[in-house]
C-alpha cells in the first residue's frame, strides 16, 4: 500500500514524464540490454529499432503516474499486457531487473530533478505495480497449463501445411511435434511464435492471430509479408513443411463475446486474421446469430480468404459480406441496429477512421471492440498501452 505522501509525489512527476518519457525509456532499454543481453531473446527487435516500444512504455509510465491513486482504473491495461507477457515468457524474476533499470534511467535523464524522495516514491510505486502484473500473469500461466492439452511455456510445433492466401499473406498450419492436441482458445486470440533464424544472434518472437476457429490438432496463423520484416520474410521464403518452431499457448483479451446480438466484423488488410476465427466460431457455436463481415483491402491481389468467407456466409440465412477496395466509408445501411456488437481490426489509421465513424453514427463506445497490431493506442481515448502483436 502506497502512502499518501508517495502517491502525491508520483502524481507530481506526471508532467515531466509526459515531456521526457521517451528520453527515459530510450535510456532504460539501452542500459537494460547492455546489462542483460539475454533479454533480447524476448523483446521485439523491430519495435526497438523503430522506437515503438520506447513510446509505448513511456505512455504506460505516464498513465501509471496519473492513476497511481486509482490503480483499479488501469487493471484492464494490466490484463492486456499480462496476456502478452505470458505469451512471451516474462517471469516474476524479470520485474526487479526492470525496476532497477527504470529508476536508474529516471535518475540519469532527470539528473538533480530526480530527488531522493522522487526515486524512493517511484520505487514504492513500481513495487505495487509489479505485484499487480505478477499476480495477473501467475494466474494466466496457471490457466494455460491446467486446461486440456494446455502448456505454460513454449512448445515445439511443426509446419504441416502452407497455403498462399494472397500476394502478401500466407497461412501456416502448425501441429504439435508430439502428435497431441492443441488447447482450446477464444476466437480473436493469438499465439507467439519463437524462431531461431540462421545468422541472427538472438531469438525472434512474434505474435500472430489465430485465423481459424479452434480445431483439435492444429493452429492456423496467416502472416503478411512486411517490407523489411526479418521474421515475415523468413516465414514466407524459408519455412517449409516439416520445419520446427516453438509456439506459446493462445493469449489475448480481444475475443468474441457469447451474446446473441447482431455481430459486425470490420477489418482492413491483415486485420482480417482474427475476424476469420470469429466468423467461423460464431457460425459454429451461434448459428442463428446475424453476422455482417466487412473487409477493406488495397486491391484484389492482396485480398485473402474471399472464397472462404463467402462459403461460410452463404451457408447461413442471417449472414452477409462486403469486400471494399480502397477507403471504407461506412453507411447507416451497414449498421445492424441497437445492441449490435462491432469488432474492428486493421492498421491504426483505418481503425481510427472506422471507430470515429461508428461513434458518429451513434454506436455506443461499449459496443465497439478492437484490436490492432503493434504497440498501440486505446482508440476510444484512453492512454497508450504496450501491446505488441505483430
Amino acid at each position: 500500500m502506497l502512502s499518501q505522501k508517495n502517491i502525491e509525489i508520483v502524481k507530481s512527476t506526471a508532467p515531466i514524464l509526459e515531456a521526457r518519457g521517451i528520453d527515459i525509456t530510450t535510456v532504460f532499454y539501452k542500459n537494460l540490454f547492455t546489462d542483460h543481453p539475454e533479454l533480447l531473446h524476448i523483446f521485439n527487435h523491430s519495435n526497438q529499432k523503430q522506437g515503438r516500444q520506447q513510446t509505448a512504455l513511456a505512455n504506460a509510465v505516464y498513465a501509471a503516474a496519473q492513476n497511481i491513486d486509482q490503480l483499479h482504473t488501469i487493471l484492464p491495461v494490466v490484463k492486456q499486457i499480462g496476456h502478452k507477457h505470458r505469451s512471451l515468457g516474462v517471469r516474476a524474476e524479470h520485474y526487479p531487473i526492470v525496476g532497477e533499470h527504470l529508476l536508474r534511467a529516471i535518475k540519469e535523464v532527470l539528473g538533480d530533478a530526480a530527488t531522493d524522495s522522487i526515486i524512493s516514491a517511484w520505487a514504492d510505486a513500481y513495487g505495487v505495480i509489479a505485484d499487480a502484473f505478477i499476480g495477473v500473469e501467475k494466474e494466466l500461466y496457471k490457466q494455460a497449463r491446467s486446461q486440456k492439452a494446455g502448456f505454460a511455456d513454449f512448445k515445439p510445433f511443426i509446419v504441416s501445411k502452407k497455403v498462399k492466401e494472397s500476394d502478401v499473406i500466407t497461412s501456416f498450419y502448425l501441429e504439435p511435434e508430439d502428435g497431441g492436441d492443441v488447447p482450446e482458445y477464444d476466437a480473436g486470440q493469438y499465439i507467439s511464435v519463437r524462431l531461431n533464424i540462421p545468422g541472427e544472434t538472438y531469438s525472434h518472437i512474434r505474435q500472430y492471430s489465430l485465423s481459424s476457429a479452434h480445431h483439435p490438432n492444429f493452429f492456423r496463423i496467416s502472416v503478411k509479408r512486411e517490407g523489411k520484416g526479418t521474421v515475415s520474410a523468413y516465414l514466407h521464403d524459408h519455412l517449409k513443411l516439416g520445419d520446427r518452431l516453438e509456439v506459446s499457448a493462445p493469449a489475448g483479451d480481444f475475443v468474441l463475446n457469447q451474446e446473441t446480438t447482431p455481430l459486425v466484423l470490420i477489418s482492413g488488410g491483415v486485420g482480417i486474421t482474427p475476424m476469420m476465427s470469429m466468423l467461423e466460431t460464431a457460425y459454429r457455436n451461434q448459428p442463428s446469430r446475424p453476422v455482417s463481415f466487412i473487409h477493406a483491402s488495397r486491391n484484389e491481389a492482396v485480398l485473402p480468404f474471399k472464397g472462404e468467407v463467402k462459403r461460410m456466409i452463404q451457408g447461413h440465412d442471417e449472414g452477409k459480406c462486403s469486400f471494399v477496395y480502397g477507403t471504407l466509408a461506412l453507411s447507416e445501411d451497414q449498421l445492424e441496429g441497437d445492441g449490435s456488437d462491432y469488432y474492428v481490426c486493421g492498421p491504426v489509421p483505418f481503425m481510427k477512421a472506422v471507430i470515429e465513424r461508428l461513434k458518429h453514427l451513434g454506436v455506443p463506445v461499449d459496443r465497439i471492440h478492437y484490436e490492432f497490431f503493434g504497440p498501440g493506442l486505446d482508440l476510444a481515448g484512453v492512454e497508450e498501452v504496450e501491446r505488441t502483436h505483430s
Side-chain angles (χ1 to χ4, degrees), residues 8 35 37 69 112 114 128 142 188 224 283 296 307 329 350:
E8 291 171 358
D35 295 347
D69 56 341
D112 292 341
V128 171
K142 180 181 177 182
K224 179 186 177 185
Y283 280 147
F350 168 86

Side-chain angles (χ1 to χ4, degrees), residues 98-337:
V98 169
E100 173 192 344
H101 285 79
L102 181 60
L103 295 177
R104 175 178 156 190
I106 292 173
K107 185 66 177 177
E108 184 173 334
V109 172
L110 301 185
D112 292 341
T115 63
D116 289 346
S117 62
I118 285 176
I119 296 298
S120 178
W122 261 106
D124 284 351
Y126 178 81
V128 171
I129 295 167
D131 284 346
F133 276 102
I134 290 169
V136 165
E137 289 159 19
K138 181 180 179 180
E139 184 60 28
L140 291 174
Y141 275 110
K142 180 181 177 182
Q143 291 172 5
R145 182 175 55 251
S146 61
Q147 66 178 313
K148 183 181 179 182
F151 55 98
D153 298 302
F154 284 88
K155 179 176 177 175
F157 278 63
I158 60 170
V159 180
S160 62
K161 190 177 179 182
K162 184 175 178 179
V163 178
K164 186 175 181 179
E165 308 287 3
S166 76
D167 285 359
V168 295
I169 293 178
T170 294
S171 289
F172 299 85
Y173 293 71
L174 310 175
E175 297 184 5
E177 187 179 53
D178 62 12
D181 289 341
V182 301
E184 292 273 358
Y185 57 86
D186 293 321
Q189 290 193 302
Y190 58 87
I191 56 173
S192 288
V193 172
R194 183 163 67 187
L195 292 168
N196 291 304
I197 298 176
E200 296 284 329
T201 304
Y202 299 103
S203 301
H204 289 267
I205 301 179
R206 294 292 186 274
Q207 288 79 41
Y208 296 108
S209 294
L210 292 155
S211 60
S212 72
H214 176 261
H215 294 270
N217 60 345
F218 69 85
F219 291 139
R220 185 178 80 169
I221 59 173
S222 303
V223 180
K224 179 186 177 185
R225 179 192 289 275
E226 301 292 348
K228 296 182 179 180
T230 301
V231 175
S232 68
Y234 180 82
L235 292 174
H236 277 252
D237 297 337
H238 301 290
L239 199 66
K240 305 182 298 296
L241 298 185
D243 281 356
R244 183 179 185 271
L245 69 172
E246 294 179 301
V247 169
S248 76
D253 61 353
F254 174 66
V255 297
L256 181 66
N257 64 30
Q258 299 304 308
E259 299 181 20
T260 58
T261 53
L263 177 65
V264 184
L265 304 175
I266 307 173
S267 56
V270 74
I272 195 173
T273 52
M275 303 307 186
M276 295 301 297
S277 178
M278 291 185 182
L279 180 64
E280 185 181 357
T281 301
Y283 280 147
R284 178 191 292 177
N285 299 337
Q286 304 161 300
S288 62
R289 187 175 190 180
V291 180
S292 294
F293 191 98
I294 304 169
H295 180 73
S297 58
R298 293 197 310 274
N299 51 56
E300 182 85 16
V302 298
L303 169 61
F305 305 119
K306 185 175 182 179
E308 188 173 331
V309 170
K310 284 189 171 181
R311 285 192 297 274
M312 283 192 278
I313 290 287
Q314 288 169 357
H316 296 81
D317 294 336
E318 296 294 329
K320 54 187 176 181
C321 63
S322 174
F323 296 97
V324 177
Y325 302 120
T327 303
L328 173 63
L330 288 171
S331 66
E332 290 187 17
D333 293 341
Q334 292 171 298
L335 302 187
E336 291 295 335

